[in-house]
Amino acid sequence: MNTGAVDSLDDAALSAACRAGDTAAFECLVRRHQGMLLNVAFRMTGVYEDACDIVQDAYIAAWRKMSEYRGDARLSTWLTAIVINLSRNRLQQRQSQVRYAAYSLDAPYPAGDGGTAPDPPSGSPSVLQRMEEAELRRALQRCIKALSPEFREVLVLRDMQDMSYEEVGTVLKVREGTVKSRLFRARDTVKDCLRKAASAP
Amino acid sequence: MNSHTGIKRLLAAYCGGDLQSHERALVEQHLEECRECRSELADLQITVDLLRTTPAVEPPPWMTARIMAHIHEQKQKPVWLQRFLLLPLRMKLPLEITALLVVCVSGYILSKSVDTELKKTPAVLQESPGIPPQIEKGTDREIQRIPAPSRFDNTLPPPVTQDIKDRPAAAPAAAPPAYAPQPPAFTQKIAPPPSGSGAVLSESAPAADSAARKSEALPAARSRNVTGTVRSEAETAAPAPAMKSVDKATVSPFPQLTVRLTVTDRNSTADTLRAAAARSGALVLNDSGPAAGRITVRIPPQRLQEFYEIMSRAGRVDRHPLPDTGAELVDVTIFW
């Protein structure tokens, strides 16, 4: 298949072609989802180089395991699950290291604009409103990093990657109810962490 | 559930639009009366919006190509090898350990046999003083059997020089270039000589500075076992011209760069750097061991950035020097 033809195919057709050994189809899948997967890995690990390694390893594993993909979940969900597992492993490895690679605002290829922190509902005093956005974002990364993995995962997948509860549940292999309760606790924890950062001298 | 604590617990769900309509109504009713909860909600809203607007990162331009390179490599491997690579470690490990032991033992045995052969050569050479020192064809064949290491050997052996002292003075004068620091002279003879040893010798004399000939000599520079034993003999002989092992860096035609790496765990750095070199297509030239804190790699300049990126996983890189354009390859020495 030439690259022009594969682009128009959906993931299901592409994965079928991959199972038959079509590398052009696989390349299309790589291009299609690598951005999303990289962001999941980067938001989980906080280290750009690690995230790149994880995405490469994930795709290589996906190629090998393509016969196991039955099409019951979306391909992107399946790939995300691989990335989450690899990210968990990487986080465990790094746990022992003293040096934490902080979220790099100079990540080599940042895309898009962050947008501004919105105004809170009028008439209500917000603690966080006092902080500048850049400072808030730095604090946000530290607070996310401080979360334990299962809370970080739901926050990244739902609030940062905008996945549905159903998808998040499939990726993490938990019920939707569990996803929600973890998510709300994670939001509260991060909010409290940010407030502490805001009130620190 | 109208209590303040109860409502507070719902706020995180409320701010993301995750509540049912009746719960939403309860929360909104409470918010009208509770300033604390309004403040909480405001901050939660900011938090969630920050999360939702976190800037995305872009994948590096080389990532697709790298992944596809791996895939194509995978495809070419025969099925049995793919299965083997995926075998659990407990099955592979004994096989690999056995293979390693076989290689080590054979290497040791061969080096011993070469050692005995080399000890015979001074006697042979004394008989023919006019001819530059060379190893008998028979020994050549012995040495040729030794498997070459796959990477460049940075330290080349000085030639066997016990014979020089014994030979008449005329002989050294007749072939002085050969005895200037000439490791290639020795190692050239170890290789299948292209056209008689005499021609090889004169060719190798000015060849010390020529990288092209050096790369010819290097594959011929056989295993460390040979060089180890020969070197110890040569050093005790202490010839008049200083026989130093040639440092690759002084005769390399490629640009030389140095980088300093700040690490927390010195012991694993050598391994990490070797892995980084393998991933970015670099060749390890000089590995002075994990404790020495220095490693030199040879790498195409277009892959240098990649190498630096992988290296910064291991520690803080002080700078990312890049060579001038036009260099085909570049030598990078990393200190840590």
Side-chain angles (χ1 to χ4, degrees), chain B residues 152-177:
Chain B
F152 289 172
D153 190 353
N154 190 46
T155 53
L156 301 171
V160 176
T161 53
Q162 273 179 340
D163 51 286
I164 297 175
K165 283 203 297 193
D166 299 326
R167 287 164 65 249

Side-chain angles (χ1 to χ4, degrees), chain B residues 60 93 96 139 188 216 290 326:
Chain B
L93 212 48
E96 288 171 352
T139 358
Q188 285 280 26
E216 197 178 275

Side-chain angles (χ1 to χ4, degrees), chain A residues 48 53 109 126 165 191 195, chain B residues 12 18 40 43 56 58 313:
Chain A
Y48 188 77
D53 288 345
Y109 309 100
S126 157
Y165 286 120
K191 180 258 300 166
R195 276 184 157 186
Chain B
D18 287 310
E40 281 275 322
D43 286 342
E58 285 285 306
R313 281 173 48 197

Side-chain angles (χ1 to χ4, degrees), chain B residues 207-228:
Chain B
D209 299 319
S210 159
R213 294 220 180 81
K214 199 162 262 306
S215 57
E216 197 178 275
L218 285 168
R222 297 303 184 170
S223 71
R224 283 209 163 161
N225 296 329
V226 176
T227 62

Side-chain angles (χ1 to χ4, degrees), chain A residues 42 45-49 99-107 138 141-142 145:
Chain A
F42 181 52
T45 61
V47 182
Y48 188 77
E49 287 80 11
R99 190 183 69 89
Y100 244 146
Y103 171 79
S104 167
L105 288 172
D106 319 305
R138 272 193 295 274
Q141 294 317 310
R142 287 196 300 272
K145 240 189 182 41

